[in-house]
Amino acid sequence: MSERKKSASQPEAIWKEKDVSFGKTVDAMVIIMRTNGCAWSKKGGCTMCGYASASMNGVTSDDLLKQTEQAMQRYDNEPFVKIYTSGSFLDDNEVPPDVRDAIFRKFGNAGRILFESRPEFVTEDVLRTIPKNVTIALGLESSDPDVLETSIKKGFTPEDSKRAGSMIKKAGLMVRTYLLLKPLYLSEKDAIDDVVSSVKFADEFSDEISVNPVNVQRYTLTERMWKKGDYRPPWIWSLIDSLKKCAGSVNARLMSSPSGGGTQRGVHNCGVCDAEALKAVERFSFSQNIKDLDVNACDCRDTWINVMASEIILGTASDILRVTDNDLAIGK
C-alpha cells in the first residue's frame, strides 16, 4: 500500500482524546503539525525517534498557517489543545515566532495549550512571549546522563532539562515532563529503576510526568536492534511496577498513555492480559489512585519476573524469549 502523499499545507494528523487539566477530565484536541523537522534529528537524532517521517523540506510560514486553519475547522472549543511538531515548537526554524503568535491567538479561548520543546530553545526572552495558559512539555527521557548519551543520544543533559523546567515554572507556566521506559541497552529491571529515579529528579520542576514506554518506530536504530532480537519493548508489568513505586511519593501528576500498547512494537505482555493491564494504567493516569493499577493475576507475570532474573544472570538486555533458528527460548 502506497503512503498518502504529503502536503506542506496539511497537518500530519488531528484527533480528539481525553486528558486531565487542572484536576478535571476534559476533552482535548491533538494536532501534529508538519514542519521542516527537528534540528537534532538533522544531526543524527535520537535512537528511538521516527518522527522525522512527519516532516518535510520547504515548509513555509504560510503552510503552517494553512495547517492551523485546517485544525481550526476541526476545533470544537475543546478546553485543552495539544500541538506537536516533529521537534520543538519553540525552534524558530520549525515554527517562526509570528506563526506561534498566530496559533496562540487562534486558540486563545482554550483553557490550556500544550506543546513540546527541547531545552536549548527555552529562554527567558522566548518565555516572555508565551501566554500563561501554556504548558511546555520537556522530553527529559532519563535523569541518568549515561543513558541519555549512550542509549538515547538525546544531545543534552538532565541538568539542561532541569534548567529549562525551572525557568518555565518561574515564568508562571506549567511543565509536563516525558520519561522513556526502557531505551536501548537497558534490561527490564534497569529500565524500571531508571524511571523511578528519573521521576524523583523531574518532580522538582514538573507539574505532570508522563512515563512513555518505547514504541519501536520505523527507520530507527531501535527498530534495527528489535528486528535482530537484540531489543524487546518493555512489559506492561514493568510500566505498572514503575508507576506503583512512584505513586504517592511525588507532587506531580503521574500518567502514561502508551503508543502502540499491546502490539509487538509497543509495551506488551503475553497478549492475553494486555488489554486489562493497559486499562489499569489508563485508570490510574486519570485517578492517581494506586489501587487502580491492580490487575488480575496472569501466568505471564511469573515469566516477566523470570526474565528479569535471567537478564541479570546473563548480563544481557536482548530479547531472551525470542525463538530463532540458532537459539533456544528461555521458558519454552
Side-chain angles (χ1 to χ4, degrees):
M1 182 180 294
S2 61
E3 293 186 3
R4 174 174 59 90
K5 186 176 181 180
K6 294 181 178 180
S7 168
S9 61
Q10 293 182 338
E12 177 73 12
I14 299 174
W15 70 84
K16 308 293 181 72
E17 64 184 22
K18 296 287 187 181
D19 206 327
V20 173
S21 182
F22 304 112
K24 296 181 179 180
T25 300
V26 299
D27 294 320
M29 184 170 83
V30 183
I31 310 160
I32 311 295
M33 299 190 73
R34 186 169 290 139
T35 68
N36 288 315
C38 174
W40 179 244
S41 176
K42 296 172 183 178
K43 298 178 181 179
C46 302
T47 59
M48 76 294 176
C49 184
Y51 292 140
S53 62
S55 63
M56 61 190 304
N57 294 324
V59 179
T60 66
S61 292
D62 186 57
D63 290 326
L64 294 174
L65 292 173
K66 288 179 179 178
Q67 291 184 41
T68 304
E69 287 301 325
Q70 291 184 54
M72 288 301 300
Q73 294 175 16
R74 296 278 303 276
Y75 183 52
D76 192 24
N77 292 314
E78 285 83 8
F80 196 177
V81 176
K82 296 186 273 191
I83 306 169
Y84 297 104
T85 70
S86 60
S88 298
F89 191 78
L90 295 182
D91 180 356
D92 292 350
N93 291 318
E94 275 199 84
V95 184
D98 61 322
V99 175
R100 287 201 295 269
D101 291 342
I103 291 173
F104 294 147
R105 288 194 300 272
K106 290 288 186 181
F107 293 104
N109 291 329
R112 188 177 177 196
I113 299 172
L114 179 144
F115 58 76
E116 186 173 3
S117 179
R118 287 175 62 89
E120 59 262 39
F121 300 112
V122 177
T123 66
E124 291 183 353
D125 287 343
V126 168
L127 290 176
R128 279 192 281 268
T129 70
I130 307 298
K132 296 304 181 184
N133 64 336
V134 162
T135 298
I136 300 180
L138 299 173
L140 167 63
E141 317 300 9
S142 172
S143 62
D144 186 323
D146 292 334
V147 171
L148 278 189
E149 181 178 357
T150 303
S151 297
I152 305 175
K153 298 189 182 301
K154 195 71 180 182
F156 56 70
T157 69
E159 291 301 322
D160 291 330
S161 290
K162 183 177 180 179
R163 174 202 60 80
S166 300
M167 192 182 300
I168 294 166
K169 295 283 286 181
K170 185 177 180 181
L173 308 176
M174 293 177 64
V175 176
R176 175 178 288 189
T177 297
Y178 294 126
L179 301 179
L180 193 65
L181 176 61
K182 203 183 179 187
L184 291 181
Y185 316 126
L186 267 65
S187 68
E188 208 74 21
K189 183 180 183 304
D190 288 341
I192 295 169
D193 292 343
D194 182 63
V195 162
V196 172
S197 60
S198 298
V199 165
K200 293 178 181 177
F201 177 86
D203 188 46
E204 182 179 334
F205 55 85
S206 305
D207 297 282
E208 299 169 326
I209 299 174
S210 179
V211 180
N212 300 333
V214 167
N215 176 36
V216 180
Q217 298 179 358
R218 298 186 185 280
Y219 316 120
T220 62
L221 175 59
T222 298
E223 184 188 52
R224 292 200 296 273
M225 294 188 65
W226 170 71
K227 285 183 174 180
K228 293 193 301 180
D230 291 332
Y231 176 80
R232 183 203 190 276
W235 292 69
I236 307 174
W237 297 121
S238 295
L239 174 58
I240 289 175
D241 191 49
S242 301
L243 294 172
K244 280 186 174 182
K245 288 178 175 177
C246 297
S249 64
V250 292
N251 294 316
R253 180 172 79 90
L254 288 174
M255 56 185 289
S256 182
S257 181
S259 177
T263 70
Q264 290 301 302
R265 283 180 176 265
V267 60
H268 65 278
N269 287 343
C270 64
V272 174
C273 66
D274 290 34
E276 181 189 0
L278 288 169
K279 185 60 74 172
V281 170
E282 181 182 36
R283 286 196 304 269
F284 169 79
S285 295
F286 285 94
S287 72
Q288 300 296 283
N289 187 340
I290 193 172
K291 292 182 178 179
D292 281 336
L293 289 169
D294 292 340
V295 181
N296 291 328
C298 180
D299 291 343
C300 77
R301 193 174 189 283
D302 289 335
T303 304
W304 166 69
I305 292 172
N306 291 333
V307 163
M308 288 194 291
S310 298
E311 287 176 339
I312 293 173
I313 294 171
L314 297 172
T316 182
S318 296
D319 188 353
I320 60 178
L321 287 180
R322 187 180 299 190
V323 180
T324 68
D325 293 337
N326 300 317
D327 300 295
L328 295 176
I330 293 177
K332 183 176 179 181

